[in-house]
Amino acid sequence: MCGIVGYTGRQAAAAVEPSTRPLEVVMEGLRRLEYRGYDSAGVALVAPGFDQVAWAKKSGKLSNLAAVIDASPLPDATAAIGHTRWATHGGPTDLNAHPHLADDGRLAVIHNGIIENFAELKAELLDQGVTFLSETDTEVAAQLLARNYRSAGNLTEAMRITATMLRGTFTLLAVHTDNPHTVVGARHDSPLVVGIGEGENFLGSDVAAFIAYTKEAMELAQDQIVTITPDSIDIIDFTGARAEGKRYTVDWDANAAEKGGFSSFMDKEIHDQPQAVADTLRGRTDASGHIQLDEIRIDEALLRSVDKIIVIACGTAAYAGQVAKYAIEHWCRIPVEVELAHEFRYRDPIVDAQTLVVAISQSGETMDTLMAVRHAREQGAKVLSIVNAHGSTIPRESDAVLYTHAGPEIAVASTKAFLAQITAAYLLGMYLAQLRGNKFSDEIDALLRELRAIPEKVETVIQRGEYVKATARSMKQATSVLFLGRHVSYPVAMEGALKLKELAYIHAEGFAAGELKHGPIALIDEGQPVFVIVPSPRSRTGLHSKVVSNIQEVRARGAKTFVIAEDGDDTVVPYADEIFWIPQAPTLMQPLLAAIPLQIFAMELATVKGLDVDQPRNLAKSVTVE
Ligand code: AGP
């Protein structure tokens, strides 16, 4: 949930001289990681001759920390660590902000995760006369590390010992004045990647921390300790055995993670959606047009034997899974259950070797989903993850991964990842249908042609966005909005409600349109805004007329109806106060288009209410705590 950065480097070819670079690098990294949490921020610096760590920390956004540093500048340094926080233990206060110091101010520690046994460790340290300034679990880790450092005499060994004493999830970074050219990190369940530079090295929660300086990265596996100096990267596991990190080159550049001229990351990412769908499709068919998913390293015989699919995910990713359910069941004739990961994790699911569990996650770090992945594998299931963030934890703990290629999604509210997740899930469904013989190759080709036509149609819907924005501005006073959809658009209705909740802080609820008459219709009174997603009149589901009837039902009771309908579907005109037209598309492809007006509506309503579109209150981009 938090963002962490570490840096150590030499400036000149010769000796490592203190400079402003460590602080500059860490602050730039924190700026790019702020979407991971922004309750507070802090930095710690070391250099030869320091008898204490130099540090600054402040509650609130990174700009608050920058102001503190401007007011009382920090000294030049040779190594630094930095942290943006999403509060778990202890409120977002200055005292609880990271870094946390120990060893008489000579040691600084930052942390991402939750240490579950911090209370017993704290009690033990208190008994030994240690005093604490904050309410955090991180300060306990800092004091424990200090104690272990005094006995081990080596920061790497002390970190290893400390890591074996902690339970829960943690990525820890530490600097000590005794080793002013060194940063030591440890990871268990929370993410940590190494950035490899020339005469300098980096650590970060994800590659955004150092993408401005290097694209050469190294994955750290579970339960590893990394020690970086300007010219070395050493890795051991928690037993002390030497280990090797897996190098890779980051496939997007620093600019891709910037706003590109848009007013917000979310606006940029809505506009990225045609490319996100196209890139996720790219390279996934062979010369003859057959689906080829090279990265899926699950035995084909096993995939043919799969008799159940369980999708596990949270939030928007879960809604993408629900959309995919309709397609995969229709194409593959395999039952698909969609489970909220945090529910799946704690029930006794019926899972066996013939169950394929599909974990969908943009960040690849969602703790609820990661724990559900582990639970599924313990039960004997194969896990295939559909993830956007390359090198993240969930793919590393899955049997196979199908990456979406949406590029970095910075805005907390997910948009392009949603479309990319549906696209990837559709590719998986077509792959299984092709492998299992449920669909002839010409049928697969037809489906692929429909998918390949989507990016252009997405662009068309985006270009119609101004009308949606004008409607949103007129709804500034709305306090409750309902969203109706049927069949494959029912999850889209729920996604539209989630966007409005998390962006405009308005109560919103998505319903299956057929469910309205079983109770929720009592909510309808004069002027109640209701969005309705109408299937194509050409849809063979027979649902078009029923959904039009649903619009009449709510309109008759005073609702203000906002209808999403296919170009040319004039049947809806008499019953719609506003119509957001989308291009014609096959039934199963409609979610990739219908979601976009809902994204734009929520973004614009949040904007007109003066809210932070990219970093809504109480939220973080990656929920790495259970
Ligand atoms: C979506 O707008 C939300 N930010 C949230 O529901 C998110 O989809 C959920 O936390 C899952 O995140 P993940 O895809 O990174 O696992």
Side-chain angles (χ1 to χ4, degrees), residues 314-317 360-364 366 412-414 421 498-499 502 623:
C314 300
T316 292
I360 303 178
S361 175
Q362 187 287 130
S363 63
T366 298
V412 167
S414 187
Q421 287 159 357
L498 174 61
K499 287 281 125 0
E502 61 179 337
V623 184

Side-chain angles (χ1 to χ4, degrees), residues 7-123:
Y7 173 84
T8 178
R10 65 173 65 251
Q11 312 326 317
V16 180
E17 297 300 325
S19 74
T20 58
R21 184 162 175 87
L23 180 60
E24 287 163 2
V25 167
V26 163
M27 289 299 282
E28 172 63 14
L30 292 181
R31 187 178 68 75
R32 294 173 186 275
L33 289 176
E34 199 174 11
Y35 65 87
R36 295 176 66 95
Y38 32 86
D39 289 331
S40 65
V43 295
L45 311 171
V46 289
F50 280 20
D51 55 13
Q52 289 206 318
V53 169
W55 58 273
K57 57 183 183 178
K58 187 65 184 169
S59 59
K61 294 193 171 180
L62 186 60
S63 52
N64 293 358
L65 173 66
V68 166
I69 296 171
D70 286 346
S72 47
L74 290 166
D76 287 355
T78 47
I81 55 178
H83 184 272
T84 57
R85 183 171 184 243
W86 191 75
T88 52
H89 288 77
T93 64
D94 292 358
L95 262 187
N96 289 333
H98 302 205
H100 290 282
L101 304 185
D103 202 14
D104 299 327
R106 294 190 293 263
L107 172 71
V109 173
I110 58 177
H111 167 225
N112 175 19
I114 287 185
I115 295 167
E116 292 174 354
N117 61 333
F118 86 98
E120 59 198 80
L121 292 169
K122 185 167 186 174

Side-chain angles (χ1 to χ4, degrees), residues 311 319-334 336-338 426 485-492 494 512 541 543 587-588 591:
V311 175
Y319 297 140
Q322 291 197 27
V323 167
K325 167 190 169 73
Y326 290 87
I328 296 174
E329 286 186 338
H330 181 64
W331 294 332
C332 303
R333 310 313 298 151
I334 303 174
V336 178
E337 298 171 15
V338 183
Y426 280 12
R486 279 191 96 130
H487 191 260
V488 76
S489 288
Y490 166 31
V492 179
M494 291 194 285
T541 58
L543 287 171
T587 299
L588 293 173

Side-chain angles (χ1 to χ4, degrees), residues 217-395:
M218 182 184 286
E219 283 180 18
L220 285 181
Q222 177 77 317
D223 295 350
Q224 287 190 336
I225 310 282
V226 60
T227 303
I228 63 170
T229 68
D231 303 304
S232 65
I233 300 168
D234 294 309
I235 301 171
I236 58 173
D237 65 22
F238 283 8
T239 69
R242 298 199 67 76
E244 287 298 320
K246 185 178 158 197
R247 286 191 65 149
Y248 64 100
T249 301
V250 179
D251 62 3
W252 41 269
D253 62 22
N255 296 329
E258 288 305 322
K259 297 177 190 171
F262 289 97
S263 58
S264 63
F265 279 116
M266 183 174 180
D267 196 17
K268 170 183 175 295
E269 289 153 12
I270 286 173
H271 284 78
D272 284 348
Q273 294 186 112
Q275 197 63 46
V277 173
D279 287 350
T280 299
L281 287 171
R282 198 181 313 283
R284 278 153 169 178
T285 53
D286 61 22
S288 62
H290 274 68
I291 307 266
Q292 64 172 14
L293 302 180
D294 297 343
E295 61 262 59
I296 290 189
R297 291 185 300 276
I298 295 183
D299 177 59
E300 287 192 356
L302 184 138
L303 290 176
R304 287 193 182 92
S305 72
V306 163
D307 61 10
K308 177 164 72 170
I309 293 175
I310 300 179
V311 175
I312 53 176
C314 300
T316 292
Y319 297 140
Q322 291 197 27
V323 167
K325 167 190 169 73
Y326 290 87
I328 296 174
E329 286 186 338
H330 181 64
W331 294 332
C332 303
R333 310 313 298 151
I334 303 174
V336 178
E337 298 171 15
V338 183
E339 288 255 16
L340 292 172
H342 39 80
E343 285 296 312
F344 176 85
R345 165 87 166 81
Y346 290 100
R347 73 178 184 82
D348 188 9
I350 300 166
V351 167
D352 60 27
Q354 271 63 53
T355 306
L356 177 65
V357 170
V358 178
I360 303 178
S361 175
Q362 187 287 130
S363 63
E365 299 298 349
T366 298
M367 191 54 68
D368 287 325
T369 308
L370 174 61
M371 291 304 163
V373 163
R374 290 190 179 157
H375 188 53
R377 298 188 80 194
E378 285 158 11
Q379 309 283 323
K382 287 291 184 195
V383 175
L384 184 152
S385 55
I386 294 177
V387 169
N388 194 45
H390 287 225
S392 53
T393 303
I394 289 172

